[in-house]
Amino acid sequence: MAVINLKNRQIECKIVYYGPGRSGKTTNLEYVHRAFKKQVAGRMISINTDGDRTLFFDFLPLGLGRIKGCDVKVQLYTVPGQVKYASTRQLVLKGVDGIVFVADSLTVRREKNMRSLKEMHENLKRMGLDIRKIPLVLQFNKRDLGKKGLPVMSVEKMTYDLNRQLKVPFFPASAISGQGVGGTLTQVLKMTLQYLQQEFKWA
Amino acid sequence: MNLEEKIRLYFKEAEVYRSQSLLDEALDKYRMVEKLIQENRKIQNKKPLLERVAARIAEMEKRCKKENKPAKPPPVSDEAQSLMKEMFSFDDPQTKGSASLGGAIALAQFGQYDKAIEEFNRLLECSELRFEAAKHLLQCWISQRYSDYAISLFQKWKKTKFLPLDQLEALRNQLQGMLKKEGIERDLSDIEVKKTVEPDSEVEDEDILDINSIRFDLPQGPDKGRRVELEVGFQSGKFIKMIIPREEKSLIQSIKPGDLLKQIVFYSPVAIFSGTGFVSSKKEISSGPKRGDYSLEIKIISISS
């Protein structure tokens, strides 16, 4: 849940990168950390396993400066993608204001994407949040692998699988090179701030 | 696409999945490659090819097994623990100090039990939060499979009327529920009049070597964290007795019967090993040359390495 201090004109909101294991959530944050140096307001903290998988979460604080007279701070988080960390995902999702769902474009990961999106839907429901109302952006990551000869799903197919009911903005991306990362983040921030503006009338 | 091309393509795909740690997908592809090679009679010199694929399959199976193993959450850095406390604590503005309680609960949810226990113990001092802190403290011990220790703590609170009677009753129900969830059936009624509950030891008397001395960090008190070494004066299987000289006032104050020492290093003439111990008694010696010193007895609960 965003912290809005109208007296001090400060807004703090939380964006969570959700998605199946190895879809590129941490890579998104790493790229943001490298490419948006001006906005990065602190160290990126990653809590990983021995095998370099996200264990609890990654955390990156951003400062967007003044928007409509308010000082806007954003906390970016990723969830651990591995199936066994379901309870940690619920915990990290608590108090979320906007979500980026990072889907894997590899054909072999189709089912994993759908399962993860379904799980996210259920987790939000458990928290009393509606997936159709919360600011949500889809990212179809690893588009670059198609050029390396690996079977990837078409954007149309991924849209059909994941977005035919949600109808939210989506971005083809390659987080490793940064393609689509900035666009995804900008879009989710825009939607989140609009949502908060409607909810709390801060501007 | 001819067969050779197909094998080459699948193998390349498997290698990319492997490099991306998509283990299940890599394993599937390697198995497809293996099957194609085995079934095709035209391929000459199959043995080295099959050996290479088999090695990859074995590697993937090993990594899958490791990754799917339920892992105990490791303790994380102080910085990460502070972040967990700060960012995942959802406090109730009506209750004083509830942010601290929320922070400790967040730590426990992330499996940072040692730090959470430290915080809950501190919060036990605050009467408004005592019940909640006690409840979560018991849950922390049970989650780490120290159910007997949780029961012994509750027994101690009941004996000393640490909480009002109605809260103790509510806590008993909560504890009973937590134990039931773990598949443990224990009768907790009238526990205050029963023999002191001590955690069961996982080790047999005969498995424990002779111990010369022990080392541990003080779990609480003014010198919390101070490293202490004590000579063992007497040993009977898993029970060891040490003398604490009367001058060691802070040590005497910092260690109490019922404490669980989670990291004790045991020095024996033939090996050094570590484990967990329960302080089963601490008594002042009332006569003889050691009069005024303290006798400390520790029951060894488990040995980890």
Side-chain angles (χ1 to χ4, degrees), chain A residues 22 43 47 53 55-57 75 77 82 84 91-92 94 106 108-109 112 142 145 148 150-151, chain B residues 12-13 16-17 20-22 25 67 69 73-74 76 79-80 83-84 87-88 90 109-110 112:
Chain A
R22 293 286 178 192
R43 246 165 38 81
I47 309 172
R53 308 284 312 255
L55 176 62
F56 293 130
F57 53 82
Q75 295 156 3
Y77 285 90
Q82 282 178 279
K84 64 181 172 183
L91 197 57
V92 176
K94 256 188 184 177
L106 285 167
V108 285
R109 303 292 282 175
K112 296 248 167 47
K142 303 193 193 173
L145 292 181
K148 290 184 182 166
L150 287 174
Chain B
K12 189 184 150 199
E13 227 179 280
V16 178
Y17 297 151
Q20 297 218 344
S21 292
L22 301 174
E25 290 76 8
E67 215 160 78
K69 211 167 89 181
V76 299
E79 189 187 19
L83 188 69
M84 286 170 179
M87 300 298 187
F88 293 92
F90 296 88
Q109 285 174 318
F110 279 111
Q112 304 302 300

Side-chain angles (χ1 to χ4, degrees), chain A residues 181-200:
Chain A
V181 173
T184 309
L185 179 61
T186 310
Q187 181 64 35
V188 78
L189 288 173
K190 201 173 129 191
M191 288 167 69
T192 305
L193 292 175
Q194 272 170 1
Y195 177 77
L196 293 176
Q197 151 66 10
Q198 279 164 17
E199 289 279 303
F200 302 101

Side-chain angles (χ1 to χ4, degrees), chain B residues 15-287:
Chain B
E15 289 284 278
V16 178
Y17 297 151
R18 176 177 165 266
S19 71
Q20 297 218 344
S21 292
L22 301 174
L23 307 178
D24 292 335
E25 290 76 8
L27 192 56
D28 279 352
K29 284 285 164 196
Y30 286 127
R31 282 188 178 139
M32 282 164 84
V33 172
E34 188 180 44
K35 203 171 166 221
L36 284 172
I37 299 171
Q38 277 167 346
E39 285 174 358
N40 197 287
R41 287 180 192 165
K42 287 182 196 162
I43 299 174
Q44 312 247 311
N45 207 7
K46 280 183 185 181
K47 207 180 157 207
L49 277 176
L50 282 171
E51 275 174 4
R52 194 173 163 202
V53 178
R56 285 285 200 250
I57 289 174
E59 182 202 329
M60 289 302 101
E61 283 173 341
K62 199 175 154 195
R63 282 173 67 183
C64 278
K65 206 171 156 191
K66 193 180 164 199
E67 215 160 78
N68 294 330
K69 211 167 89 181
K72 203 175 125 192
V76 299
S77 68
D78 289 350
E79 189 187 19
Q81 284 185 345
S82 301
L83 188 69
M84 286 170 179
K85 263 174 70 181
E86 202 183 315
M87 300 298 187
F88 293 92
S89 143
F90 296 88
D91 60 326
D92 170 10
Q94 302 295 316
T95 313
K96 192 183 153 199
S98 76
S100 310
L101 181 68
I105 294 171
L107 285 170
Q109 285 174 318
F110 279 111
Q112 304 302 300
Y113 296 119
D114 289 350
K115 186 72 185 165
I117 285 170
E118 192 186 314
E119 303 265 323
F120 288 131
N121 272 324
R122 199 170 46 78
L123 292 168
L124 286 177
E125 304 297 320
C126 172
S127 58
E128 283 164 318
L129 301 172
R130 189 169 294 158
F131 175 75
E132 282 299 312
K135 186 177 85 183
H136 289 285
L137 190 56
L138 294 178
Q139 183 62 68
C140 278
W141 286 114
I142 291 172
S143 301
Q144 294 180 94
R145 304 193 181 282
Y146 289 115
S147 309
D148 284 335
Y149 183 63
I151 297 169
S152 78
L153 261 183
F154 175 69
Q155 186 186 40
K156 195 165 83 179
W157 292 336
K158 195 95 200 257
K159 278 183 177 175
T160 55
K161 297 191 173 53
F162 184 61
L163 286 156
L165 286 177
D166 58 329
Q167 290 190 8
L168 279 170
E169 189 50 25
L171 196 59
R172 185 182 68 83
N173 290 334
Q174 297 265 3
L175 177 59
Q176 199 95 58
M178 292 175 209
L179 292 168
K180 205 173 169 188
K181 228 173 154 185
E182 295 294 311
I184 303 164
E185 291 287 346
R186 287 287 281 269
D187 179 18
L188 301 177
S189 54
D190 303 326
I191 195 166
E192 68 275 23
V193 293
K194 289 181 184 160
K195 198 176 153 242
T196 303
V197 179
E198 284 188 6
D200 273 343
S201 181
E202 292 171 9
V203 277
E204 299 295 331
D205 280 350
E206 56 271 25
D207 293 339
I208 297 181
L209 298 167
D210 287 341
I211 299 163
N212 288 349
S213 61
I214 61 167
R215 191 189 78 201
F216 58 90
D217 294 342
L218 287 181
Q220 64 220 357
D223 286 349
K224 184 180 168 282
R226 192 185 113 201
R227 190 150 286 183
V228 174
E229 278 201 40
L230 293 172
E231 300 263 322
V232 174
F234 175 78
Q235 179 179 6
S236 169
K238 57 176 95 62
F239 288 92
I240 49 174
K241 275 192 177 172
M242 284 77 51
I243 302 285
I244 307 177
R246 76 205 80 158
E247 300 80 41
E248 284 272 18
K249 287 199 169 57
S250 69
L251 173 56
I252 294 164
Q253 277 173 16
S254 302
I255 194 156
K256 297 185 186 83
D259 282 346
L260 194 72
L261 303 170
K262 283 180 80 183
Q263 279 292 332
I264 307 180
V265 179
F266 302 96
Y267 296 96
S268 103
V270 287
I272 299 171
F273 53 99
S274 61
T276 309
F278 175 78
V279 180
S280 43
S281 87
K282 185 189 79 176
K283 282 179 190 147
E284 190 178 347
I285 300 168
S286 56
S287 59

Side-chain angles (χ1 to χ4, degrees), chain B residues 284-303:
Chain B
E284 190 178 347
I285 300 168
S286 56
S287 59
K290 300 272 184 193
R291 192 173 161 202
D293 290 347
Y294 278 75
S295 159
L296 176 75
E297 185 186 72
I298 289 177
K299 178 183 178 183
I300 302 170
I301 302 299
S302 64
I303 289 172

Side-chain angles (χ1 to χ4, degrees), chain A residues 11-196:
Chain A
I11 295 176
E12 217 170 280
C13 58
K14 175 175 178 177
I15 307 289
V16 174
Y17 283 69
Y18 205 100
R22 293 286 178 192
S23 62
K25 302 174 288 295
T26 302
T27 313
N28 261 273
L29 249 65
E30 283 168 347
Y31 183 81
V32 172
H33 187 232
R34 279 198 310 273
F36 295 83
K37 283 206 172 78
K38 253 183 160 178
Q39 284 78 24
V40 170
R43 246 165 38 81
M44 177 169 164
I45 296 175
S46 292
I47 309 172
N48 296 336
T49 65
D50 292 343
D52 208 22
R53 308 284 312 255
T54 302
L55 176 62
F56 293 130
F57 53 82
D58 302 301
F59 169 76
L60 179 64
L62 298 181
L64 302 187
R66 289 192 93 75
I67 299 175
K68 294 193 176 174
C70 276
D71 187 21
V72 180
K73 291 192 165 82
V74 182
Q75 295 156 3
L76 303 183
Y77 285 90
T78 66
V79 297
Q82 282 178 279
V83 178
K84 64 181 172 183
Y85 296 129
S87 60
T88 310
R89 279 193 288 281
Q90 277 182 41
L91 197 57
V92 176
L93 210 51
K94 256 188 184 177
V96 66
D97 298 299
I99 302 174
V100 173
F101 183 85
V102 183
D104 194 323
S105 296
L106 285 167
T107 308
V108 285
R109 303 292 282 175
R110 184 177 175 221
E111 203 188 316
K112 296 248 167 47
N113 290 334
M114 293 198 281
R115 276 180 197 272
S116 178
L117 187 65
K118 189 166 174 260
E119 184 206 61
M120 186 181 88
H121 185 183
E122 282 159 7
N123 282 338
L124 289 171
K125 213 164 143 189
R126 224 170 275 145
M127 286 159 44
L129 296 171
D130 186 346
I131 197 171
R132 284 160 300 184
K133 285 189 184 154
I134 194 156
L136 169 66
V137 174
L138 300 186
Q139 184 186 79
F140 304 152
N141 195 21
K142 303 193 193 173
R143 300 308 302 169
D144 55 307
L145 292 181
K147 286 173 202 146
K148 290 184 182 166
L150 287 174
V152 295
M153 292 173 275
S154 67
V155 170
E156 291 72 29
K157 188 174 171 67
M158 292 188 82
T159 308
Y160 181 79
D161 278 351
L162 306 169
N163 203 19
R164 71 176 183 277
Q165 285 176 321
L166 292 171
K167 298 196 186 334
V168 295
F170 61 90
F171 291 81
S174 168
I176 202 132
S177 66
Q179 185 222 323
V181 173
T184 309
L185 179 61
T186 310
Q187 181 64 35
V188 78
L189 288 173
K190 201 173 129 191
M191 288 167 69
T192 305
L193 292 175
Q194 272 170 1
Y195 177 77
L196 293 176

